[in-house]
Amino acid sequence: MGFKKIVLVAFMSFVTLSLVACRQQMNRGHESAKIGIIQYAEHSALDAAREGFIEALSEGGFKVGKNVTITKRNAQGDQANLQTMVEQLSGKNDLNFAIATPAAQALLNSDQHTPAVFTAVTDPVSAGLVDSLDKPGGNMTGSTDAIDVKDQIDLLTKVLPQAKTVGIFYNSSEVNSEIQAKAAKKALEKKGVTVLIKTVTVSNDVQQVMTSLAGQVDAVYLPTDNTVASTANTIGDILKEAKIPSMGSDDAYLSAVLFTSGVDYKAIGKQAGKQAVAILKGKKAATIKVVKPQKAKIAVNEEMAKSLGIDAERIKDFRK
């Protein structure tokens, strides 16, 4: 084969490969994709985030049963389960989706090569998931459930102006909860309110610790917390019996509190799903900004309000 012919063949091969690559990039949304989902615990907020994620995938052209295969894992709040499950997903998918901070951290530690998206993470920078919100820098991005805690406390003190001592309860092993609790303590003390903090590390201690807290405060503030969400019925029974009004940061545990002001988890799940679609179509996670919730969601537990002798309609007025 002559030199010119060799050059021509090489050139044509290069052009063909380039065209194939471009075609693949353009049609990525119509190809089959494998996605792994690791959810830290089972409760309605995280379930809603997962549903929103899958809905956004479908809207973006990735439909389950057609061109997407999804493997779901739920650690049920157990760290040992979590580690095993992220290892099952590592290196086996085109993209992984982590729901809640512990799940995202475990996934990143196990697999730093597969693109990943997270949601229900309050502070992804402090959690070590990204370099910054604007420039994630690694192979992971997502949506946060960061709440404006100052606005929450403003609302709490308007709804419950008689509360001179406010208790804060959460699982101290959850980074999200601790960050939010510290911000709430600072905002409450700035308003002259005394703060009493009680924490647990396992759900078995919730009843004892919450009962103790309810006997020492005028109101309770509950940050976004997976343990609180999974033990909402227990907490609600204790607060109702003690006649202590409370505010929650997550409508997953509306049954436990007087009212909630927090995040629409299905909405932030959809935000993460849109990011996943962009990644599956060729965009790098490192260049996709971490997004925040668009607005707060306020809900009132009318049954709890009635049991406490509080006008539910007055609380609802604050939504306007």
Side-chain angles (χ1 to χ4, degrees):
M1 184 182 292
F3 177 74
K4 290 184 178 180
K5 194 169 183 179
I6 292 173
V7 172
L8 180 60
V9 170
F11 176 74
M12 292 304 295
S13 297
F14 172 77
V15 170
T16 300
L17 289 171
S18 297
L19 288 172
V20 169
C22 288
R23 193 178 302 115
Q24 289 177 337
Q25 183 78 358
M26 291 167 57
N27 296 331
R28 187 66 185 266
H30 303 289
E31 294 177 356
S32 178
K34 293 176 66 178
I35 296 176
I37 296 180
I38 178 67
Q39 183 171 324
Y40 177 61
E42 186 79 30
H43 62 73
S44 60
L46 301 189
D47 292 345
R50 185 186 69 240
E51 291 165 7
F53 176 80
I54 294 173
E55 190 174 302
L57 287 178
S58 181
E59 292 173 357
F62 293 90
K63 301 181 185 296
V64 177
K66 183 179 179 181
N67 60 348
V68 170
T69 301
I70 293 180
T71 301
K72 302 175 187 175
R73 295 286 184 268
N74 191 316
Q76 301 295 340
D78 186 290
Q79 287 292 338
N81 284 345
L82 183 62
Q83 189 56 43
T84 299
M85 289 175 178
V86 294
E87 289 173 0
Q88 291 172 351
L89 298 177
S90 296
K92 297 180 176 64
N93 299 297
D94 298 303
L95 179 139
N96 287 318
F97 175 48
I99 309 175
T101 301
Q105 290 174 319
L107 180 63
L108 184 62
N109 290 336
S110 179
D111 185 351
Q112 297 183 9
H113 302 290
T114 304
V117 176
F118 57 76
T119 196
V121 172
T122 300
D123 190 341
V125 177
S126 295
L129 302 176
V130 296
D131 294 338
S132 71
L133 300 186
D134 288 340
K135 297 180 179 179
N139 221 9
M140 183 176 272
T141 188
S143 61
T144 80
D145 60 359
I147 297 168
D148 190 323
V149 177
K150 183 179 178 299
D151 284 351
Q152 280 189 317
I153 299 306
D154 285 344
L155 180 60
L156 184 152
T157 54
K158 287 176 183 176
V159 173
L160 304 171
Q162 78 283 3
K164 304 305 179 186
T165 300
V166 173
I168 299 177
F169 175 82
Y170 64 99
N171 185 332
S172 59
S173 65
E174 291 196 32
V175 176
N176 284 1
S177 309
E178 186 173 22
I179 291 169
Q180 198 174 328
K182 287 180 178 178
K185 180 177 184 291
K186 181 178 180 181
L188 284 164
E189 290 178 340
K190 192 171 183 179
K191 289 178 175 291
V193 177
T194 300
V195 177
L196 178 61
I197 294 178
K198 296 276 188 180
T199 65
V200 296
T201 55
V202 293
S203 58
N204 288 340
D205 293 338
V206 169
Q207 184 164 6
Q208 179 182 351
V209 176
M210 178 53 76
T211 300
S212 172
L213 180 64
Q216 302 175 68
V217 298
D218 304 312
V220 170
Y221 169 81
L222 300 171
T224 305
D225 187 279
N226 290 297
T227 299
V228 170
S230 63
T231 58
N233 291 336
T234 298
I235 293 171
D237 289 343
I238 293 168
L239 294 176
K240 186 179 291 185
E241 183 176 349
K243 294 193 175 301
I244 298 298
S246 56
M247 174 185 186
S249 301
D250 185 339
D251 63 7
Y253 42 88
L254 179 60
S255 62
V257 298
L258 172 61
F259 70 103
T260 62
S261 175
V263 171
D264 183 333
Y265 276 84
K266 185 172 183 179
I268 63 171
K270 288 195 73 170
Q271 288 177 308
K274 291 177 181 178
Q275 293 169 316
V277 169
I279 292 170
L280 290 170
K281 290 183 177 180
K283 198 166 183 179
K284 299 292 184 183
T287 66
I288 301 176
K289 292 182 179 181
V290 175
V291 293
K292 298 179 180 180
Q294 295 176 336
K295 62 180 180 179
K297 179 182 179 182
I298 299 174
V300 181
N301 182 339
E302 295 193 22
E303 182 182 342
M304 182 71 81
K306 185 177 180 180
S307 72
L308 295 172
I310 294 175
D311 183 3
E313 294 304 316
R314 187 176 69 84
I315 303 173
K316 291 177 183 179
D317 287 342
F318 288 107
R319 293 183 295 188
K320 299 175 182 179

